[in-house]
C-alpha cells in the first residue's frame, strides 16, 4: 500500500503501526459512502534488515472520503483493564457540526469505539490524548476535556494561552501544565511565594489536576520567567519527599534551546541546531544514556545527550517522523527515523534505526554476513571513543582537584593545631608566609628574625601550680597511658576534665591530633575509677562505682551529677591511646593539654564557670626507651603486699575494662571467694589501697585487679579490672569452680539501686537549684536583659482617690492612670528576653535535666 501524507505512525511494543485512509481510485469508489480505516502492524526483520508486515486490520465507517480525517494517535491506558492500547482520534465533518470519535485498537486488530462527541467548531489547538482514554484540547483560551468514563465534555475553571505538557504526576493523577496571564492578587500573603517574576514577565506557569480539579504551583516545574519562551515540555521524573513535589523535566524554547530543570531550578542548557522546535521525547539506549529527541517544524530532528552536560549527539534532515521503541528486540530503546522520499512511496521504505552506539541499521545498505562495517558505524565509533576520552579527562581533572582540596584541608588542620599550641603556651602565633604556602604575594613579605625564633621556640610556659602537680606516662600492653595529677586546691569540675595529646612535629601526611580516651581516677580507701567521654550519649556501665562506704564518697563517685567536687584526696586525669601507631615514628614528642571548666567553689551557679585549656607539659616517646622498659609497669611482692607505685596502679586501671558482679549465696557464706582470690589467683593487696588486690598468677590473668566488697556474709560485689574479655572469661571460669553450686552471679550493668537512688536525689536537687538560679538571674538582670513596656521607669504619683474624683480634671487623670496601669499589666505579661541570656539559661537547664535523665536510664537498666 502506498504512503500518504495523512498517514499516522505509532510505535507499540516494538511494532510500527501504520494507520491509513485509502484514497478512492475510481469515480465509483469516490461516491461510495463506506470508508475504511486500515492499520498495518510492521516489524523489523533482523535477517533482511527490512520492515515486514505482521498483520493488518480494517474499520469501516459510513462516510465518504472527503468527510473523514485522522487527527492524532497515541498509546494510552484503558481504565477498565489497566492495559496500554493504541488509540486514534477521528474527525467527521457534517453540515452543521463536527463529529469526533476515538477508537481503541486491540491485539486482534479489532477497533473499538471508546466515545464520540459533537462540536460546532474544529479542534486545532493543543490536542492531547491521555489515560482513560481521555481527550483534552484548548479553545478560545479555555481548557476542555472528555473521558470514556463520563462521555461528557467538561471545562476547567482556568484561562490559559497554551498547554505545554499533559501526563501523570505522583499523587495528583493527570496534570495539565499550561501558561496563562499572570494573576496578581490585590493583597499579597507575606508567607506566599513571590510574584516579582510574574509581574515582570506578564505570564506564569500553572498546573491543573484533572482528577482532583485543584491548582498546582507552577514554580515546582519551572520559574515563571521561562513562561514567555517555553513551547513544549517533557516530565522525566516526579516524586514526593516529605510532602514536597520534586520534578525533573526538559523544556524546549522558541529561542532554539533545550533546558534541563530539576526541582524548578535550571541545571543545564543546550543550543539546538535548527529553528522552531516543536516537540521533545526521551529514549533510554543500551549504554544507559538518556537521549532527548527534538523534532522541528522544518522536518529536521536531532538527539541531545545528557551525561556531564547537555550536548547535541546527532542531527538529521528531511525526517517525516521519529519513533522511540525497542524495534530490534535488544531490551533497550532505539530511534526509528522515517525519511521523506518522493521517489519511493512504499510504507517504511526509507528509514534508519540507531541508538547512537552499536545499533545502526539503515535502508538501502547491503549487510553482508551481518557485519556492520559501514562508514556510518565507523563514524559513530570514532565519536564514541572521543566522547569517552573527554569523559575520562574530565574525571581525571576532578580527581586532581579533590587531591588538591585534601592537601589544603590537611594544611589548615596542621596550622590550626600549631595555633592552638601557641595559644596555650602564651606565644604569638605567626602565620606562614606566602612563599611557604606556594602563593604569590600582592605585597612584599618582611621577614622578622625575632618572630621566626619565637615560632621555633620549644620551651613551654610555666604551668600554674594551682592546677596540676605531676605529669607521667606508662606503657601497659599495647596502650600508652599519660596521667596528670591535679592539686587538691584546684576548683575544676570533674565532668568537664579531659586530656588531649597533640604531636609537636610536622607530619604532612597525618593529623597531629592523637585519638585517646580520657579518664578521671581518684584513689581513696574504697577505690574507684571513673571514665569520662564527651562522645557517649549514654553512660557506659564500667564507669559506675559499686563499693560506696559513705555519703562523702557519693559526690566523688558521680561528679557529673554535682556542681561541686570533693577536695580531699588526690585526683588524676589519664589519657589512653594505642601505642603501635606512635612507634612507627621511632621518636615522638607530644604536647599534653588539659581541658576543664574553671568554677567558683563558693557559688553553685553554672554561670560562674568557664572553659579553660592548660598546657601540662610534653612527653617524649622513643622505641629505644620502650625496649629498655623505661615506662613499663612494675608490680612486685613485698611481705604480702604489692609494691607498685601510684602511677603504675593508675596506669593499669586506666588501661583496663571494669566489670562488676553481684554474688549471692542462699545456704552458705561467701568465704570461698576470699580464699579463691588469695589462693588460686595469687593476689596481694596494694599498700596504698588494701581493699584492691593485684593478681600475680602467671599467664593472661597476670595484672588483673580485683575488689571484693561484702555487704553481708551471704552477699557481695566482685569488681574485676581486666585487659579484655578473654581474661574476664578465664577469671569467671576459675571462680565458678570455687563457688558452691547454690551461688548466683549477676552482672551489674549500672550499679546498685540504692546508690543510684541517692544519686538521682542529688541530681534532682541540682536541677531545682539550676531552675531557681535561672529565675533569680532573670529578675536581677531584668533591667539589662528584659525589655519592658515602661522603659522610662517613671512611677505615676498616687494622690488620694477622693481628691481625684472631686473634679472633672481629677476624673480624667484617674482614667488616664487606670489606662496606663492596664497597658503596663499587658506589657509585663508579654516580656521578651535577650537571646544570649536565654540561650545560656536554656543550656544550664538542659545540662541539669540531662544529668537526672542519665541516672533514670541507669536505674531502668539495673
Amino acid at each position: 500500500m502506498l504512503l500518504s501524507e495523512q498517514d499516522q505512525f505509532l510505535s507499540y511494543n516494538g511494532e510500527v503501526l501504520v494507520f491509513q485512509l485509502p484514497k478512492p481510485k475510481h469515480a465509483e469508489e469516490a461516491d461510495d459512502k463506506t470508508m475504511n480505516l486500515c492499520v498495518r502492524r510492521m516489524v523489523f526483520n533482523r535477517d533482511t534488515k527490512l520492515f515486514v508486515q505482521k498483520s493488518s486490520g480494517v474499520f469501516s465507517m459510513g462516510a465518504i472520503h472527503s468527510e473523514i480525517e485522522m487527527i492524532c494517535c497515541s498509546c494510552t491506558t484503558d481504565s477498565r483493564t489497566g492495559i496500554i492500547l493504541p488509540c486514534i482520534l477521528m474527525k467527521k465533518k457534517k453540515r452543521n457540526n463536527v463529529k469526533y470519535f476515538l477508537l481503541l485498537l486491540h491485539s486482534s486488530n479489532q477497533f473499538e469505539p471508546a466515545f464520540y462527541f459533537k462540536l460546532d467548531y474544529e479542534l486545532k489547538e493543543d490536542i492531547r490524548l491521555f489515560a482513560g482514554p481521555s481527550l483534552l484540547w484548548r479553545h478560545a483560551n479555555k481548557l476542555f476535556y472528555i473521558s470514556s468514563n463520563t462521555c461528557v465534555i467538561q471545562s476547567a475553571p482556568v484561562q490559559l494561552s497554551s498547554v505545554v505538557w499533559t501526563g501523570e504526576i505522583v499523587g495528583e493523577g493527570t496534570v495539565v501544565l499550561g501558561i496563562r496571564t499572570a494573576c496578581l492578587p490585590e493583597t499579597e500573603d507575606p508567607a506566599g511565594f513571590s510574584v516579582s517574576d510574574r509581574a515582570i514577565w506578564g505570564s506564569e506557569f500553572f498546573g491543573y489536576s484533572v482528577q482532583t480539579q485543584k491548582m498546582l504551583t507552577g514554580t515546582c516545574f519551572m520559574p515563571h520567567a521561562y513562561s514567555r519562551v517555553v513551547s513544549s515540555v517533557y516530565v522525566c521524573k516526579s516524586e514526593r519527599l516529605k510532602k514536597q513535589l520534586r520534578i525533573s523535566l526538559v523544556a524546549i524554547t522558541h529561542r532554539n534551546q533545550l533546558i534541563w530543570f530539576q526541582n524548578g531550578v535550571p541545571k543545564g542548557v543546550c543550543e539546538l541546531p535548527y529553528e522552531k522546535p516543536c516537540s521533545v521525547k526521551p529514549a533510554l539506549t543500551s549504554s544507559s544514556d538518556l537521549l532527548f529527541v527534538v523534532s522541528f517544524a522544518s522536518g529536521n530532528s536531532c538527539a541531545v545527550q545528557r551525561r556531564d552536560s547537555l550536548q547535541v549527539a546527532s542531527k538529521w534532515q528531511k525526517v517525516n517522523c521519529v519513533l522511540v521503541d525497542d524495534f530490534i528486540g535488544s531490551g533497550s530503546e532505539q530511534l526509528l527515523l522515517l525519511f521523506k522520499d518522493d521517489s519511493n512511496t512504499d510504507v517504511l521504505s526509507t528509514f534508519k534505526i540507531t541508538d547512537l552506539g552499536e545499533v545502526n541499521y539503515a535502508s538501502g545498505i547491503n549487510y553482508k554476513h551481518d557485519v556492520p562495517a559501514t562508514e556510518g558505524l565507523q563514524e559513530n565509533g570514532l565519536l564514541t571513543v572521543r566522547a569517552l576520552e573527554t569523559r575520562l579527562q574530565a574525571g581525571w581533572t576532578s580527581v586532581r582537584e579533590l587531591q588538591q582540596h585534601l592537601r589544603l584541608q590537611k594544611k589548615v588542620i596542621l596550622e590550626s593545631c600549631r595555633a592552638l599550641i601557641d595559644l596555650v603556651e602564651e606565644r604569638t602565633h605567626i602565620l606562614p608566609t606566602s612563599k611557604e604556602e606556594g602563593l604569590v604575594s600582592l605585597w612584599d613579605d618582611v621577614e622578622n628574625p625575632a618572630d621566626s625564633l619565637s615560632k621555633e621556640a620549644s620551651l613551654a610556659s610555666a604551668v600554674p601550680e594551682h592546677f596540676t602537680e605531676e605529669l607521667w606516662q606508662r606503657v601497659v600492653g599495647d596502650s600508652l597511658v599519660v596521667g596528670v595529677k591535679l592539686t587538691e586546691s584546684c576548683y575544676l569540675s570533674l565532668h568537664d576534665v579531659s586530656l588531649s595529646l597533640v604531636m609537636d612535629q610536622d607530619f604532612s601526611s597525618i593529623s597531629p591530633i592523637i585519638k585517646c580516651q580520657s579518664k578521671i581516677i581518684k584513689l581513696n580507701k574504697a577505690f574507684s575509677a571513673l571514665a569520662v567521654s564527651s562522645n557517649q550519649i549514654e553512660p557506659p556501665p564500667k564507669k559506675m562505682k559499686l563499693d560506696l562506704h559513705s555519703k562523702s564518697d557519693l559526690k566523688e563517685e558521680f561528679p557529673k551529677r554535682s556542681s561541686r567536687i570533693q577536695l580531699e584526696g588526690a585526683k588524676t586525669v589519664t589519657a589512653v591511646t594505642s601505642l603501635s601507631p606512635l612507634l612507627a615514628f621511632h621518636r615522638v614528642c607530644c604536647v599534653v593539654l588539659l581541658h576543664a571548666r574553671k568554677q567558683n567553689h563558693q557559688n553553685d551557679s553554672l554561670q560562674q564557670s568557664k572553659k579553660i585549656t592548660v598546657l601540662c607539659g610534653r612527653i617524649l616517646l622513643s622505641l629505644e626507651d620502650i625496649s629498655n622498659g623505661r615506662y613499663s609497669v612494675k608490680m612486685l611482692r613485698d611481705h604480702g603486699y604489692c609494691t607498685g607505685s601510684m602511677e603504675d596502679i593508675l596506669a593499669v586501671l586506666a588501661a583496663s575494662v571494669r566489670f562488676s558482679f553481684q554474688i549471692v549465696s542462699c545456704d552458705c557464706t561467701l568465704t570461698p571467694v576470699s580464699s579463691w582470690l588469695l589462693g588460686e589467683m595469687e593476689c596481694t593487696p596494694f599498700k596504698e589501697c588494701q581493699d584492691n588486690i593485684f593478681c600475680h598468677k602467671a599467664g593472661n590473668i597476670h595484672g588483673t585487679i580485683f575488689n571484693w566488697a561484702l555487704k553481708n556474709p551471704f552477699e557481695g560485689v566482685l569488681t574485676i579490672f581486666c585487659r579484655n574479655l578473654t581474661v574476664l572469661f578465664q577469671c569467671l571460669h576459675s571462680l565458678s569452680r570455687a563457688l558452691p553450686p547454690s551461688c548466683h552471679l549477676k552482672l551489674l550493668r549500672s550499679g546498685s539501686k540504692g546508690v543510684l537512688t541517692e544519686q538521682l536525689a542529688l541530681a534532682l536537687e541540682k536541677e531545682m537549684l539550676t531552675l531557681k538560679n535561672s529565675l533569680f538571674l532573670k529578675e536581677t538582670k531584668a533591667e539589662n536583659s528584659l525589655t519592658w513596656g515602661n522603659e522610662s521607669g517613671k512611677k505615676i504619683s498616687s494622690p488620694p482617690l477622693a481628691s481625684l474624683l472631686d473634679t472633672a480634671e481629677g476624673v480624667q487623670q484617674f482614667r488616664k492612670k487606670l489606662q496606663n496601669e492596664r497597658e503596663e499589666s499587658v506589657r509585663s505579661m508579654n516580656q521578651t528576653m535577650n537571646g544570649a541570656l536565654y540561650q545560656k539559661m536554656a543550656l544550664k537547664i538542659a545540662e541539669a535535666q540531662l544529668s537526672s535523665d542519665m541516672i533514670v536510664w541507669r536505674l531502668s537498666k539495673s
Side-chain angles (χ1 to χ4, degrees):
M1 187 179 293
L2 300 180
L3 195 63
S4 171
E5 292 182 358
Q6 294 184 356
D7 293 346
Q8 298 282 339
F9 298 92
L10 183 64
S11 62
Y12 179 70
N13 290 340
E15 302 173 346
V16 179
L17 305 182
V18 185
F19 297 96
Q20 293 178 311
L21 288 173
K23 293 182 179 180
K25 297 180 180 179
H26 306 285
E28 296 80 5
E29 296 180 2
D31 296 335
D32 189 1
K33 293 187 178 181
T34 301
M35 192 67 191
N36 293 328
L37 172 64
C38 300
V39 61
R40 302 175 63 184
R41 294 181 183 265
M42 310 293 291
V43 294
F44 183 72
N45 191 323
R46 300 190 66 173
D47 295 330
T48 62
K49 308 300 184 293
L50 297 174
F51 279 93
V52 296
Q53 181 174 319
K54 177 182 178 183
S55 60
S56 63
V58 177
F59 180 73
S60 298
M61 298 167 287
I64 61 177
H65 186 274
S66 60
E67 296 177 348
I68 297 297
E69 182 181 348
M70 290 183 293
I71 303 301
C72 62
C73 60
S74 179
C75 291
T76 61
T77 303
D78 187 355
S79 60
R80 300 169 300 178
T81 61
I83 300 175
I84 297 177
L85 294 176
C87 64
I88 182 167
L89 179 64
M90 305 295 296
K91 180 179 73 172
K92 182 179 180 180
K93 292 183 181 179
K94 292 187 177 183
R95 290 183 179 181
N96 300 326
N97 53 39
V98 182
K99 180 181 178 180
Y100 292 92
F101 54 95
L102 193 68
L103 301 176
L104 288 174
L105 178 63
H106 294 277
S107 58
S108 59
N109 291 329
Q110 297 293 322
F111 285 91
E112 177 191 0
F115 59 84
Y116 73 93
F117 59 96
K118 296 179 181 180
L119 297 173
D120 56 358
Y121 58 88
E122 295 187 18
L123 301 183
K124 294 182 179 179
E125 299 175 325
D126 296 331
I127 304 171
R128 307 294 172 101
L129 292 170
F130 57 95
S134 303
L135 177 65
L136 178 145
W137 69 92
R138 180 176 62 88
H139 178 71
N141 289 337
K142 293 184 179 180
L143 186 66
F144 301 91
Y145 57 91
I146 183 173
S147 172
S148 60
N149 297 326
T150 61
C151 297
V152 177
I153 298 177
Q154 297 178 342
S155 63
V158 292
Q159 293 281 337
L160 72 164
S161 58
S162 66
V163 175
V164 295
W165 177 79
T166 303
E168 298 288 328
I169 293 292
V170 175
E172 302 294 343
T174 301
V175 173
V176 179
L177 178 61
I179 300 174
R180 65 180 179 185
T181 303
C183 302
L184 299 178
E186 296 180 358
T187 58
E188 275 300 317
D189 182 10
F193 56 87
S194 174
V195 297
S196 59
D197 53 350
R198 296 185 297 168
I200 293 173
W201 297 98
S203 60
E204 65 177 351
F205 290 106
F206 75 96
Y208 177 75
S209 175
V210 177
Q211 278 79 10
T212 61
Q213 298 182 358
K214 72 175 185 179
M215 305 295 294
L216 302 179
T217 304
T219 51
C220 64
F221 295 89
M222 288 172 289
H224 294 303
Y226 289 87
S227 59
R228 285 295 185 93
V229 296
V230 170
S231 60
S232 182
V233 168
Y234 183 84
V235 175
C236 301
K237 183 181 180 182
S238 65
E239 60 181 351
R240 282 194 176 275
L241 293 177
K242 297 181 179 179
K243 297 183 180 182
Q244 286 190 344
L245 189 60
R246 298 181 178 272
I247 297 176
S248 298
L249 59 87
V250 289
I252 54 176
T253 69
H254 301 303
R255 298 182 179 178
N256 308 324
Q257 292 176 324
L258 185 141
I259 308 176
W260 171 266
F261 290 92
Q262 202 163 12
N263 302 328
V265 179
K267 295 295 184 180
V269 63
C270 176
E271 295 290 336
L272 298 176
Y274 305 111
E275 295 182 353
K276 296 181 180 180
C278 55
S279 65
V280 57
K281 62 178 68 175
L284 188 61
T285 61
S286 57
S287 58
S288 298
D289 288 336
L290 184 60
L291 301 178
F292 298 109
V293 184
V294 183
S295 300
F296 299 84
S298 59
N300 301 328
S301 298
C302 73
V304 179
Q305 250 176 351
R306 188 180 75 90
R307 288 183 177 175
D308 298 332
S309 61
L310 294 173
Q311 55 185 351
V312 177
S314 186
K315 55 185 179 179
W316 307 274
Q317 295 180 345
K318 296 182 179 182
V319 178
N320 185 31
C321 179
V322 180
L323 302 177
V324 177
D325 211 324
D326 184 11
F327 300 102
I328 65 174
S330 63
S332 59
E333 294 179 335
Q334 306 93 39
L335 309 182
L336 172 60
L337 297 99
L338 303 179
F339 295 97
K340 298 177 181 179
D341 189 0
D342 298 333
S343 61
N344 192 344
T345 57
D346 193 9
V347 177
L348 302 180
S349 59
T350 306
F351 67 90
K352 183 176 183 179
I353 300 177
T354 181
D355 65 349
L356 304 185
E358 297 179 356
V359 179
N360 192 7
Y361 297 103
S363 58
I365 299 178
N366 183 19
Y367 293 94
K368 187 176 181 180
H369 304 299
D370 200 22
V371 178
T374 62
E375 294 181 359
L377 286 179
Q378 292 178 357
E379 182 181 358
N380 284 337
L382 181 61
L383 292 176
T384 303
V385 171
R386 290 177 179 174
L388 290 175
E389 290 177 350
T390 304
R391 192 171 182 179
L392 181 63
Q393 187 67 28
W396 176 239
T397 302
S398 300
V399 171
R400 287 201 303 267
E401 291 177 354
L402 182 60
Q403 291 176 343
Q404 184 178 2
H405 177 73
L406 291 176
R407 286 195 295 268
L408 179 61
Q409 194 176 45
K410 289 181 180 179
K411 280 186 177 181
V412 173
I413 294 175
L414 289 172
E415 192 63 32
S416 301
C417 293
R418 297 190 188 102
L420 176 61
I421 295 174
D422 290 341
L423 178 64
V424 173
E425 295 181 351
E426 298 179 355
R427 296 186 304 189
T428 302
H429 180 70
I430 303 175
L431 294 174
T433 63
S434 59
K435 186 178 296 184
E436 293 175 350
E437 292 293 320
L439 303 175
V440 178
S441 177
L442 299 179
W443 294 274
D444 294 333
D445 291 330
V446 180
E447 293 291 340
N448 192 336
D451 292 341
S452 301
L453 291 175
S454 64
K455 182 180 179 180
E456 298 297 330
S458 59
L459 294 177
S461 60
V463 180
E465 296 182 357
H466 62 283
F467 282 149
T468 60
E469 287 186 357
E470 183 183 0
L471 173 66
W472 51 266
Q473 64 192 89
R474 291 291 187 275
V475 174
V476 182
D478 190 39
S479 300
L480 172 66
V481 181
V482 179
V484 175
K485 184 180 179 182
L486 306 179
T487 60
E488 296 183 2
S489 59
C490 69
Y491 299 103
L492 294 178
S493 178
L494 290 182
H495 69 275
D496 280 343
V497 178
S498 63
L499 292 181
S500 294
L501 303 180
V502 182
M503 287 192 293
D504 194 17
Q505 289 148 300
D506 293 335
F507 295 106
S508 59
S509 59
I510 63 170
S511 172
I513 302 175
I514 301 174
K515 181 180 179 181
C516 58
Q517 180 188 16
S518 294
K519 292 185 178 182
I520 303 175
I521 301 176
K522 177 175 184 270
L523 287 181
N524 52 18
K525 183 178 181 181
F527 163 78
S528 67
L530 178 65
V532 175
S533 176
S534 60
N535 296 328
Q536 292 170 339
I537 300 176
E538 299 295 352
K542 65 180 181 179
K543 300 178 183 178
M544 286 302 303
K545 179 176 178 180
L546 302 171
D547 48 343
L548 298 174
H549 292 262
S550 63
K551 286 189 177 180
S552 61
D553 293 330
L554 183 60
K555 293 184 179 179
E556 280 301 318
E557 160 57 24
F558 212 67
K560 281 186 146 184
R561 309 298 183 255
S562 176
S563 61
R564 297 185 180 183
I565 61 172
Q566 301 296 319
L567 300 182
E568 68 275 3
K571 302 178 185 64
T572 301
V573 186
T574 61
V576 183
T577 185
S578 180
L579 180 64
S580 304
L582 299 177
L583 295 181
F585 300 101
H586 184 70
R587 187 180 181 89
V588 179
C589 181
C590 296
V591 176
V592 182
L593 301 177
L594 175 69
H595 309 280
R597 184 184 293 273
K598 187 178 180 181
Q599 185 175 348
N600 187 358
H601 182 61
Q602 302 298 329
N603 192 348
D604 288 328
S605 175
L606 288 175
Q607 190 179 1
Q608 302 300 326
S609 62
K610 66 176 182 178
K611 293 182 179 180
I612 62 171
T613 301
V614 179
L615 175 64
C616 302
R618 286 179 169 82
I619 60 170
L620 186 62
L621 189 67
S622 65
L623 187 59
E624 182 179 357
D625 292 338
I626 294 176
S627 301
N628 295 332
R630 179 177 178 181
Y631 303 114
S632 300
V633 174
K634 300 177 178 63
M635 298 289 185
L636 304 176
R637 294 185 185 183
D638 185 16
H639 299 93
Y641 289 98
C642 184
T643 59
S645 64
M646 186 64 67
E647 290 77 11
D648 293 339
I649 299 174
L650 295 174
V652 173
L653 293 171
S656 300
V657 186
R658 175 177 180 165
F659 298 93
S660 297
F661 298 90
Q662 182 184 30
I663 304 177
V664 179
S665 178
C666 300
D667 52 3
C668 61
T669 61
L670 295 178
T671 306
V673 177
S674 300
S675 303
W676 171 73
L677 291 172
L678 299 177
E680 182 177 349
M681 303 304 292
E682 303 179 13
C683 296
T684 55
F686 291 106
K687 280 188 176 181
E688 292 79 2
C689 44
Q690 299 184 10
D691 288 347
N692 302 277
I693 54 180
F694 184 84
C695 178
H696 295 275
K697 186 176 181 179
N700 293 334
I701 304 179
H702 182 82
T704 305
I705 297 177
F706 298 91
N707 183 289
W708 171 237
L710 272 173
K711 294 185 177 181
N712 54 64
F714 302 95
E715 181 183 356
V717 175
L718 178 65
T719 303
I720 304 175
F721 295 87
C722 54
R723 294 193 303 273
N724 49 51
L725 290 176
T726 303
V727 175
L728 175 65
F729 292 147
Q730 289 179 343
C731 294
L732 294 179
H733 177 69
S734 177
L735 176 62
S736 63
R737 293 183 298 180
L739 291 175
S742 60
C743 291
H744 299 281
L745 272 77
K746 178 184 177 182
L747 176 64
L748 299 179
R749 297 186 177 275
S750 300
S752 63
K753 290 189 177 181
V755 173
L756 291 176
T757 303
E758 293 186 32
Q759 293 172 355
L760 180 59
L762 289 175
L764 292 175
E765 181 183 0
K766 173 66 177 302
E767 185 176 340
M768 293 175 60
L769 183 61
T770 305
L771 287 170
K772 175 183 175 182
N773 292 338
S774 300
L775 294 175
F776 178 74
L777 179 65
K778 171 184 172 183
E779 294 177 358
T780 55
K781 294 192 176 182
E783 184 176 353
N784 297 328
S785 303
L786 302 179
T787 304
W788 295 82
N790 188 11
E791 295 180 358
S792 61
K794 296 180 180 179
K795 293 186 178 180
I796 301 175
S797 59
S798 301
L801 181 61
S803 61
L804 286 177
L805 300 178
D806 290 341
T807 62
E809 295 180 355
V811 172
Q812 189 68 22
Q813 184 180 357
F814 177 74
R815 288 178 178 177
K816 184 176 181 181
K817 174 186 175 183
L818 182 61
Q819 182 67 23
N820 290 337
E821 289 180 352
R822 288 179 179 177
E823 293 177 357
E824 183 68 24
S825 177
V826 172
R827 282 194 293 266
S828 64
M829 295 293 292
N830 298 325
Q831 50 184 288
T832 59
M833 180 178 291
N834 178 271
L837 179 61
Y838 176 79
Q839 184 179 11
K840 191 176 297 183
M841 290 170 54
L843 180 61
K844 291 188 294 182
I845 295 173
E847 288 178 351
Q849 292 175 344
L850 180 62
S851 299
S852 57
D853 290 344
M854 283 187 174
I855 304 179
V856 172
W857 177 83
R858 289 174 179 266
L859 275 170
S860 64
K861 295 295 182 180
S862 61

